[in-house]
Amino acid sequence: MSKAFAFKTSLPPWSSSEPPPIPCNPQFRLTPTTRRHLINSISILISPFFASPKLNDPLSPFALPVSNARGLFQMPPFRLTNRYFLVRAGESEYESLGLINTNPVAKTSVDNGLSEKGKKQTVRAAFDLKEMRACEGNCWIWPSITQRAYQAAEIIAAVNGVNRSHIVPEYSFLDARGLGAYEGKSLDTLSEVYESDSLSPSIKPPPIDDGTPNESVSDVFVRVTQLMSILETQYSEDTVIIVSPDSDNLTVLQAGLTGLDLRRQVVLVTPTFKLRFVDASSIPTYKQPASTVYKCLNPPSCT
């Protein structure tokens, strides 16, 4: 048999000196006196937070430090907070056979590692970096996850006394430039790609259906700009050694950092292994063509 329980609550009598409670009646309308009372109550509650903020009080919202934001990274940058060395990984096994290999599926393959010649090239670059005192301060090595680039990073770290924890693999922004239908062709055919690049940075190599991307110079420019945005945000006053599996990433990056026309990045491409220090004075002088200077003053009549 169930029992019913009655709960009795005793409330203190309502004081006549206090405003009457607001009834739960949809037809009820606040009188001017009641509104004034509510407004005064709210102002009393919030006034301690805004009347006299204590900047030294850790619990005060006004004590929070202001973020020193650097803004979006732009090419060419107004300044760089770090110094950069650009290293092309030494010759790969595929390159030793005179073949182009840019398919990202094979980038971690053992066959895509450094050849014997490539290892010697990387050791020379590592000692060049040591001679330049690149890693005397706080030094970070950012290699592509590509097999040959990561192998090169480990050699550089060993020679320069860099802890392995300072090797940060990059998974996509430093992939070798995808050359589409040129995949598997002779390295000699790269001259055709660079000839197109000199006409427009937006021209892509012909596509192919084996998964190899066909990237223009502009596509590579977007990738390396994203990389620099991360590096300039993550580090400050450090040395960063960027290790790329190919030259195109580095030449496009160097052109972007120094304001060189992207159609001219091909003048920075070298057939042999090369270590680069980001230095504006090393960029060859270049006069812009008339097509980039000419402006139509009376469109659509531009004659």
Side-chain angles (χ1 to χ4, degrees):
M1 183 174 178
S2 62
K3 297 182 180 180
F5 295 90
F7 292 93
K8 197 174 193 182
T9 59
S10 60
L11 296 175
W14 189 264
S15 174
S16 60
S17 61
E18 297 177 1
I22 301 174
C24 300
N25 188 339
Q27 302 299 323
F28 178 77
R29 296 291 183 269
L30 291 175
T31 65
T33 303
T34 308
R35 285 200 302 268
R36 188 162 50 250
H37 173 76
L38 290 175
I39 293 173
N40 290 336
S41 300
I42 294 173
S43 64
I44 291 173
L45 289 172
I46 67 174
S47 60
F49 294 98
F50 297 98
S52 56
K54 298 179 181 179
L55 299 180
N56 295 328
D57 184 0
L59 298 179
S60 170
F62 297 95
L64 297 177
V66 178
S67 176
N68 186 19
R70 300 177 191 173
L72 295 175
F73 185 82
Q74 297 179 352
M75 291 279 207
F78 296 106
R79 65 184 180 91
L80 291 174
T81 59
N82 305 292
R83 64 172 184 161
Y84 295 91
F85 291 87
L86 312 182
V87 179
R88 184 200 188 281
E91 179 189 74
S92 69
E93 293 287 357
Y94 278 101
E95 289 172 329
S96 68
L97 301 175
L99 299 176
I100 295 174
N101 176 252
T102 61
N103 193 319
V105 173
K107 64 183 179 181
T108 58
S109 170
V110 175
D111 295 334
N112 205 16
L114 293 172
S115 65
E116 289 303 316
K117 179 181 178 181
K119 293 175 183 177
K120 294 177 182 178
Q121 290 173 329
T122 304
V123 169
R124 285 200 299 271
F127 278 102
D128 287 343
L129 286 167
K130 187 173 184 178
E131 187 175 331
M132 299 167 74
R133 300 179 178 179
C135 289
E136 283 195 349
N138 204 24
C139 183
W140 298 86
I141 305 176
W142 273 61
S144 164
I145 195 61
T146 305
Q147 183 77 0
R148 61 183 181 271
Y150 198 85
Q151 287 177 343
E154 290 187 317
I155 294 174
I156 292 170
V159 172
N160 288 272
V162 177
N163 191 289
R164 288 177 64 95
S165 64
H166 277 223
I167 301 178
V168 185
E170 216 306 305
Y171 289 86
S172 58
F173 293 150
L174 281 175
D175 282 358
R177 178 186 177 186
L179 296 179
Y182 285 91
E183 183 74 3
K185 291 188 176 181
S186 169
L187 290 172
D188 296 334
T189 58
L190 285 175
S191 59
E192 299 175 12
V193 178
Y194 295 141
E195 185 175 352
S196 297
D197 292 345
S198 65
L199 297 177
S200 170
S202 300
I203 297 178
K204 296 175 179 284
I208 193 173
D209 59 2
D210 69 346
T212 304
N214 58 322
E215 294 183 296
S216 66
V217 168
S218 295
D219 294 330
V220 177
F221 179 76
V222 171
R223 287 200 281 111
V224 296
T225 301
Q226 291 172 316
L227 173 69
M228 289 302 300
S229 180
I230 294 172
L231 294 175
E232 283 291 285
T233 302
Q234 188 165 335
Y235 305 113
S236 179
E237 298 182 0
D238 291 340
T239 296
V240 181
I241 300 173
I242 298 174
V243 186
S244 170
D246 67 348
S247 294
D248 286 16
N249 285 332
L250 304 183
T251 56
V252 173
L253 174 56
Q254 191 174 4
L257 290 174
T258 55
L260 185 67
D261 190 311
L262 289 181
R263 290 172 296 180
R264 297 289 294 170
Q265 63 91 18
V266 295
V267 304
L268 302 174
V269 176
T270 56
T272 57
F273 180 86
K274 188 175 182 180
L275 165 68
R276 306 167 190 267
F277 174 63
V278 177
D279 183 6
S281 64
S282 66
I283 302 298
T285 57
Y286 171 64
K287 183 179 180 181
Q288 290 187 342
S291 60
T292 63
V293 179
Y294 175 76
K295 296 181 180 180
C296 178
L297 301 179
N298 187 28
S301 177
C302 298
T303 57

